[in-house]
Amino acid sequence: MFLEAAILGVVIGLVRNGSIRNISVTKIRGWFLAIIAFVLQISTLIFRDMSIVQSYGRYVYIASAVLIILTLAINLNKRGMWIILIGAILNFVVVIMNGNKMPISLDGLELAGLQNMIEGIKSGDITNYMAIDQVTNWTKHLGKYIVIPKPYPMAKVISIGDIFMSLGIILLVQGQMIKPYLITKSRMVSVGYRGKM
């Protein structure tokens, strides 16, 4: 979903006579915090069978989510970042209130043709998702139940938070592309001299 949003943002930026080069000079403050958060989240998935991860995985996830939210918060001067932040907070709330698991519609997964994911959730091999039917509080409305089915090539089930984040990414990418950056490049012109003694 986020990859498609970034691509759509680039397309819109090009239509609006933006420059892809602007993306390469975009400065994201605290970007290293997002990298740390990503490493933490990946580590909990890779080492989920370790006792220390099973005991403290919840706190690791909370720490990584806080780092991501902090990274977004210190970059609110950029277009679309507010919307990304709202989406991230919505997803964070629903996961925290459901034991570090994102509720997802199994019927939606079946409609999207993601049968392997359904089997993984039921067997416990996929530990970061739970069936949305198991949620009894209001957070089920923030879970993943919005289906993007086939023939869409990347069929999936998304949440309201995902939609906010995707819209924010589109606004961010195309906004940076059309921003009138002043890029100055110093060019060294070498002139050869031949001196005679």
Side-chain angles (χ1 to χ4, degrees), residues 13-186:
L14 292 174
V15 170
R16 299 185 64 186
N17 296 320
S19 173
I20 295 181
R21 183 181 300 176
N22 284 356
I23 297 176
S24 64
V25 298
T26 299
K27 293 183 178 179
I28 301 295
R29 288 177 289 183
W31 57 269
F32 57 91
L33 297 176
I35 298 296
I36 295 173
F38 177 76
V39 171
L40 288 175
Q41 292 195 11
I42 291 298
S43 298
T44 58
L45 295 176
I46 295 176
F47 304 108
R48 64 178 181 269
D49 295 330
M50 295 179 62
S51 59
I52 188 171
V53 173
Q54 294 175 354
S55 300
Y56 300 100
R58 174 181 176 83
Y59 304 104
V60 173
Y61 173 80
I62 292 175
S64 65
V66 169
L67 288 175
I68 292 174
I69 290 173
L70 179 60
T71 304
L72 296 171
I74 62 179
N75 287 281
L76 291 180
N77 60 315
K78 292 179 173 56
R79 182 179 301 181
M81 202 64 79
W82 265 107
I83 302 178
I84 299 175
L85 178 60
I86 291 172
I89 291 175
L90 290 177
N91 283 346
F92 176 68
V93 168
V94 67
V95 169
I96 289 300
M97 293 191 66
N98 289 283
N100 278 18
K101 295 183 178 182
M102 170 61 78
I104 191 167
S105 170
L106 299 187
D107 291 336
L109 288 174
E110 185 174 358
L111 187 59
L114 301 174
Q115 190 64 39
N116 289 338
M117 191 170 179
I118 296 175
E119 295 173 359
I121 294 172
K122 288 182 176 180
S123 66
D125 291 334
I126 298 178
T127 58
N128 54 328
Y129 285 103
M130 63 183 292
I132 201 169
D133 295 337
Q134 298 176 5
V135 181
T136 58
N137 55 42
W138 58 271
T139 59
K140 64 182 179 182
H141 301 295
L142 298 179
K144 292 180 181 285
Y145 58 86
I146 304 169
V147 184
I148 303 178
K150 294 181 177 180
Y152 183 70
M154 292 188 286
K156 62 194 72 186
V157 184
I158 62 175
S159 67
I160 294 176
D162 293 338
I163 293 176
F164 271 95
M165 293 179 71
S166 298
L167 290 175
I169 290 172
I170 292 172
L171 290 175
L172 173 66
V173 172
Q174 65 91 31
Q176 292 302 304
M177 287 180 63
I178 64 174
K179 193 170 182 179
Y181 281 105
L182 178 61
I183 305 175
T184 58
K185 292 184 177 181
S186 59

